[in-house]
Amino acid sequence: MIGFSNRWVRRGVAAAAVAVASAMSVTTSMHAQSVAASDATTARIMQRLGALAADSMEGRRAGTAGSVRARAWIVAELTAMGAKSIGSSYAMPITLRARAGSDTSGANIVARIPGKNSSGPVLVLSAHYDHLGVRNGEIFNGADDDASGCVALLTIAERLLREPPEHDVILAFFDAEESGMVGSKAFVNAPPVPIERIALNINLDMVARQDGKALWVSGTSHTPSLKPIAEVAAKTSAVTIRFGHDTKDLKPGDDWTGSSDHAAFHSKGIPFLYLGVEDHADYHKSGDDADKVDPAFYRGTVEFAYALVRAADAKLSTVMRQAK
C-alpha cells in the first residue's frame, strides 16, 4: 500500500466397539487427507510468499535489479501454471520517473484467464509487486505489502484455470505502486482490452497480517450493489470480514479510496473492491517479513478473495459503472 498513516475417543468394548472403531478409522483417515491437502495449500502459499519477499529480491523497488528478479519470478510462476499473456509478452512496459539508484524502465505483468463468455465484461484482479527497496543498508522485503497480494493472485489463478470463470479475468501485477501508482495509471490509460469492457477491479494490497484480526473490504460505499456480492463470499469466510474505509467523513488516512491501485480504476468510473488489513507495526518498515505472517489467517484471506472473485464473476454483467 502507498504511504498512508493508518494503515488463519474413547475406547469401546466387544463387537460393537470394533464396528465403531472401524467407522472412526475411515472418518479419521478422510479428515487426515483433508487436513493434509489443506496444509499443502497453506505451505505452498507460504513458500511463495517467502520467495517473493526474500532478501534476494532486494525489496523489489521499481526500476532496480531486485524488481527485475521479482518480475521474472512472477512470470515463471504464470508460465508454469499455464496462464497466457494477452499480447506477445506478460510484460507491459511503463516509464518510471527518474530517481537516484533506479532506471526509468519498469513493467506491469499482465495475464488473461479466458472465461466461458469471452466477449462480455471483464474482471481485473490486481496487486502490486514493487516495494521500497534497500534503505540505509536495510532491506524492506514487503511481505505483506504487497507480496501477499501477488501470491494470492497466483493461487486464485491456478484455481480459475482448473475451473474457468464465466467471464474473462485479467491478472495485473502492477509496478511502481509505492511511487505514485504509476503502473495502474498506465494500465487504465492504455488497457489491454477496451476500457468499457472492464466492469470491476478487485485489488489486493496487504492481506497477510493478522494484527487487526480482520480483513477489510472497501469500495461498497461507492458502488452499493457490490456489497451483497461481497457478503455472499463473507458468509463462508474463516476470517473476520469488515466493510468500510471508503467514505469522505473519515479522518485523513482512514479513507482508502485513493490509497492503492484501485484508485486508478475509480478515476475512470470503474467500480472496485479493495481488500486489505489495517496498518501494523511493520508497515513500511524493514520488519515486514514473511515470518511475521500467521499462515492460518493468510490462508483465510486468500480463500475469501477466491470466493469473492467467484461471487463477482457470477454477477459481473449486473455491475454498473460509476458516473464520472
Side-chain angles (χ1 to χ4, degrees):
M1 184 184 292
I2 202 168
F4 280 69
S5 61
N6 284 328
R7 296 274 219 266
W8 158 305
V9 211
R10 294 185 182 270
R11 182 177 301 168
V13 293
V18 174
V20 171
S22 177
M24 287 178 61
S25 176
V26 172
T27 301
T28 301
S29 176
M30 292 173 63
H31 176 69
Q33 292 173 16
S34 175
V35 170
S38 174
D39 287 349
T41 301
T42 303
R44 177 64 169 147
I45 290 171
M46 293 303 298
Q47 182 272 330
R48 279 175 161 163
L49 184 68
L52 188 54
D55 285 352
S56 60
M57 299 295 183
E58 298 179 308
R60 308 187 308 278
R61 180 181 173 182
T64 67
S67 174
V68 173
R69 281 194 288 274
R71 191 184 310 155
W73 182 86
I74 293 171
V75 167
E77 293 290 308
L78 291 170
T79 302
M81 71 175 68
K84 303 299 183 183
S85 63
I86 291 182
S88 59
S89 170
Y90 292 107
M92 298 182 66
I94 63 171
T95 300
L96 309 173
R97 65 180 177 86
R99 294 188 297 175
S102 306
D103 63 36
T104 56
S105 298
N108 295 328
I109 305 165
V110 182
R112 169 178 168 265
I113 297 177
K116 298 173 185 175
N117 176 11
S118 285
S119 63
V122 174
L123 188 158
V124 176
L125 182 60
S126 64
H128 71 90
Y129 70 91
D130 68 301
H131 194 52
L132 302 180
V134 181
R135 297 182 174 185
N136 298 319
E138 290 189 299
I139 303 175
F140 287 64
N141 284 320
D144 192 26
D145 187 11
D146 183 34
S148 66
C150 294
V151 170
L153 259 63
L154 292 171
T155 305
I156 293 168
E158 287 175 324
R159 297 183 187 180
L160 293 177
L161 286 166
R162 290 195 297 266
E163 298 181 33
E166 292 299 319
H167 305 89
D168 282 8
V169 174
I170 291 176
L171 305 171
F173 300 82
F174 290 129
D175 198 359
E177 187 269 356
E178 298 287 5
S179 52
M181 295 170 280
V182 178
S184 53
K185 289 175 181 177
F187 180 94
V188 299
N189 286 329
V193 296
I195 197 164
E196 59 270 15
R197 287 189 61 199
I198 301 177
L200 176 65
N201 170 231
I202 298 179
N203 184 42
L204 281 63
D205 189 351
M206 297 175 59
V207 296
R209 287 288 288 263
Q210 83 288 4
D211 302 40
K213 303 188 186 306
L215 181 72
W216 287 81
V217 178
S218 295
T220 60
S221 75
H222 300 287
T223 312
S225 62
L226 292 176
K227 190 168 185 180
I229 294 173
E231 287 175 333
V232 168
K235 286 179 180 179
T236 57
S237 176
V239 299
T240 300
I241 303 299
R242 294 178 179 158
F243 295 86
H245 283 298
D246 55 5
T247 56
K248 293 181 179 179
D249 60 334
L250 298 169
K251 65 182 181 181
D254 278 356
D255 179 3
W256 296 347
T257 301
S259 69
S260 185
D261 289 310
H262 54 275
F265 293 84
H266 180 61
S267 72
K268 299 293 186 181
I270 299 170
F272 73 89
L273 290 172
Y274 165 51
L275 309 187
V277 298
E278 291 183 323
D279 290 355
H280 46 75
D282 290 312
Y283 170 63
H284 276 198
K285 292 184 172 63
S286 59
D288 184 6
D289 293 322
D291 61 6
K292 302 283 185 68
V293 169
D294 175 2
F297 179 83
Y298 184 28
R299 171 72 185 279
T301 68
V302 173
E303 295 294 340
F304 170 75
Y306 173 73
L308 180 61
V309 169
R310 284 295 187 187
D313 175 49
K315 296 289 186 180
L316 200 61
S317 60
T318 69
V319 176
M320 303 298 294
R321 294 176 70 92
Q322 305 156 2
K324 286 291 179 181

